[in-house]
Amino acid sequence: MSFMIPSAIKISSQFDAGNIEVLDLTNPQDIQLSIRKDNQSDFFQWFHFRVQGAANQPLTLRVLNAGQAAYVDGWPDYRAVASYDRETWFRVDTAYEADTGELVIQHTPAQNSIYFAYFAPYTWEQHLDLIAQAQQSALCEVHDIGTTLDGYDLNLLKISKPTESEAPAKKQIWVTARQHPGETMAEWCAEGFIARLLDEDDALAQSILEQAEFYVVPNMNPDGSIRGHLRTNACGANLNREWETPTAERSPEVLAVRSLMQQTGVDLFLDLHGDEALPCNFIAGQEGAPHLPDTILAQEDRFKQDLAQINPDFQLERGYPPGKFGPETFTIAAFWVGREFNCPSMTLEMPFKDYDNRPDADFGWSPERSIKLGESMLYPIHQWLQADL
């Protein structure tokens, strides 16, 4: 029995974190695409789509509106990622044509179904698996702390060891990731951090848990993640500009986390992000914030130095200039938390591009390296705890 299979190329994005609009698909050498804006927002840059029916055909995919994206300086030297199995994501030939404002991706698929994305996606199903697997540890409790505007769960992991009644009070450490949903490397990094912290055979992790309790929110922005947004939640709110005056109507995610922080207190805060333009890993502390105590700044500087010592994928030479955010400063998580609790409060930024000091021609900056960086974060935390003894 025989049947006819359609031979035309198809492009789709109707799946978790999908984002693309097809403008013209008639010529495989001139496929014209457009990235959809975040809902009720002008932000856009994240893309994630599937191409079918193009095995062994050279493709030229042109993203026509790349020149109007949120961070145009993120396109030079950037290469898109692709995957056949949605597990291994490799880099493909990509060029930004500044004169036309187009991002041009060229690739000849070896198989009939291939996915392209801005960075390796971290899907909602992966997130739910991460939460479920973490809960299998006796060290971890899963807490539902709210519901997003689209009706998704906002989960927090509390990671701690039992404490003897006469033991000193433990430090309260908070870690959040993916306030900006398109920055998926943040949740990959959180995965590595959580896994190592829960490893009962890891002496460093167990030593840390004798001195500290952790509150981890691996995905602060489920709605934007699922919708395929770059930077905002369901109603177009940039969560990392909502920390001074969050509301249930606009930013329930921030309101829930902030309220819990005020109950537990915060001794150290880490917020995990990605940066479109800089081809390196760096930490933005509270430099330039008004009335920042020298003791807090010194702790943040030491934290960065300790991380650079343990992981060569982290560097100290490049980052944001002090005072970069101007009047927005205290709407940002790290600055608001640092001021509210008078504690070290830092934003870890990872690249969408490759890390130029240690380039990888096949994979660039990747989920695997993000995971390893998350694992490395335990070392500077341990050093910070020891310095406080």
Side-chain angles (χ1 to χ4, degrees):
M1 181 178 180
S2 62
F3 61 97
M4 294 295 294
I5 298 176
S7 58
I9 294 173
K10 177 182 179 182
I11 295 180
S12 57
S13 62
Q14 290 300 109
F15 43 78
D16 182 358
N19 184 333
I20 206 69
E21 294 175 350
V22 180
L23 304 178
D24 190 337
L25 196 54
T26 55
N27 180 2
Q29 290 292 293
D30 187 22
I31 295 172
Q32 299 177 25
L33 307 170
S34 177
I35 303 173
R36 186 181 66 247
K37 290 182 178 181
D38 292 6
N39 187 49
Q40 298 183 50
S41 168
D42 288 330
F43 285 113
F44 71 90
Q45 196 139 351
W46 172 264
F47 58 86
H48 179 202
F49 58 91
R50 183 186 187 191
V51 178
Q52 297 183 81
N56 303 314
Q57 290 193 58
L59 299 178
T60 299
L61 305 154
R62 296 167 53 209
V63 181
L64 301 189
N65 65 342
Q68 290 80 53
Y71 301 100
V72 177
D73 54 355
W75 295 131
D77 301 320
Y78 164 79
R79 291 187 296 153
V81 298
S83 178
Y84 297 111
D85 60 6
R86 301 197 298 171
E87 291 184 4
T88 300
W89 292 85
F90 53 91
R91 299 283 174 163
V92 294
D93 289 341
T94 309
Y96 178 62
E97 299 181 353
D99 54 340
T100 62
E102 295 177 6
L103 187 74
V104 181
I105 302 169
Q106 294 183 304
H107 186 64
T108 302
Q111 300 177 20
N112 237 5
S113 174
I114 185 170
Y115 292 80
F116 294 90
Y118 187 32
F119 193 81
Y122 202 104
T123 67
W124 183 243
E125 286 300 313
Q126 285 174 280
H127 168 76
L128 294 178
D129 285 344
L130 173 64
I131 297 294
Q133 290 162 10
Q135 185 179 235
Q136 303 316 302
S137 169
L139 301 172
C140 182
E141 300 172 359
V142 174
H143 295 278
D144 178 73
I145 63 171
T147 303
T148 68
L149 297 175
D150 278 346
Y152 291 99
D153 300 331
L154 187 64
N155 284 133
L156 173 144
L157 305 179
K158 181 182 179 183
I159 301 174
S160 62
K161 291 178 75 170
T163 306
E164 306 232 352
S165 57
E166 66 274 11
K170 291 186 176 183
K171 296 293 186 182
Q172 305 296 296
I173 300 177
W174 277 78
V175 180
T176 57
R178 216 168 165 191
Q179 289 200 76
H180 298 145
E183 297 167 13
T184 55
M185 62 285 290
E187 193 159 7
W188 288 109
C189 184
E191 178 183 310
F193 180 85
I194 292 164
R196 188 175 183 193
L197 196 58
L198 293 177
D199 185 350
E200 296 191 38
D201 295 320
D202 190 308
L204 186 67
Q206 296 310 301
S207 174
I208 289 171
L209 288 175
E210 290 165 4
Q211 303 168 68
E213 294 182 328
F214 288 80
Y215 301 87
V216 184
V217 184
N219 187 340
M220 282 281 294
N221 197 335
D223 293 354
S225 303
I226 294 165
R227 285 171 173 257
H229 285 187
L230 171 73
R231 200 162 174 84
T232 68
N233 70 356
C235 73
N238 175 354
L239 295 186
N240 207 29
R241 298 297 184 274
E242 292 284 316
W243 281 75
E244 202 154 37
T245 54
T247 65
E249 296 74 25
R250 179 174 170 81
S251 46
E253 306 90 346
V254 174
L255 185 63
V257 170
R258 220 182 73 145
S259 298
L260 281 174
M261 284 179 166
Q262 289 170 324
Q263 293 179 41
T264 65
V266 183
D267 294 301
L268 174 67
F269 175 56
L270 300 168
D271 191 24
L272 311 182
H273 283 260
D275 184 88
E276 289 79 6
L278 289 174
C280 58
N281 295 286
F282 63 97
I283 280 178
Q286 298 175 75
E287 302 94 335
H291 313 301
L292 177 68
D294 290 342
T295 54
I296 299 298
L297 184 59
Q299 290 178 61
E300 293 181 352
D301 286 342
R302 174 66 188 273
F303 190 99
K304 297 178 206 177
Q305 292 166 17
D306 288 339
L307 183 54
Q309 182 181 29
I310 200 69
N311 190 331
D313 268 342
F314 184 78
Q315 58 82 54
L316 300 170
E317 290 74 31
R318 289 170 286 175
Y320 298 147
K324 168 183 170 67
F325 300 104
E328 291 185 319
T329 295
F330 291 111
T331 67
I332 295 169
F335 289 104
W336 183 88
V337 171
R339 182 184 65 178
E340 181 75 7
F341 300 100
N342 191 35
C343 70
S345 186
M346 294 166 280
T347 304
L348 172 66
E349 298 279 0
M350 291 162 278
F352 283 87
K353 304 176 184 181
D354 201 356
Y355 175 31
D356 57 0
N357 283 349
R358 301 186 69 250
D360 183 325
D362 294 326
F363 302 104
W365 185 251
S366 64
E368 293 76 15
R369 292 169 80 180
S370 302
I371 287 170
K372 292 297 184 185
L373 186 59
E375 293 172 355
S376 298
M377 297 282 282
L378 268 65
Y379 178 74
I381 290 174
H382 181 262
Q383 296 300 97
W384 175 77
L385 288 166
Q386 295 305 109
D388 194 60
L389 290 177

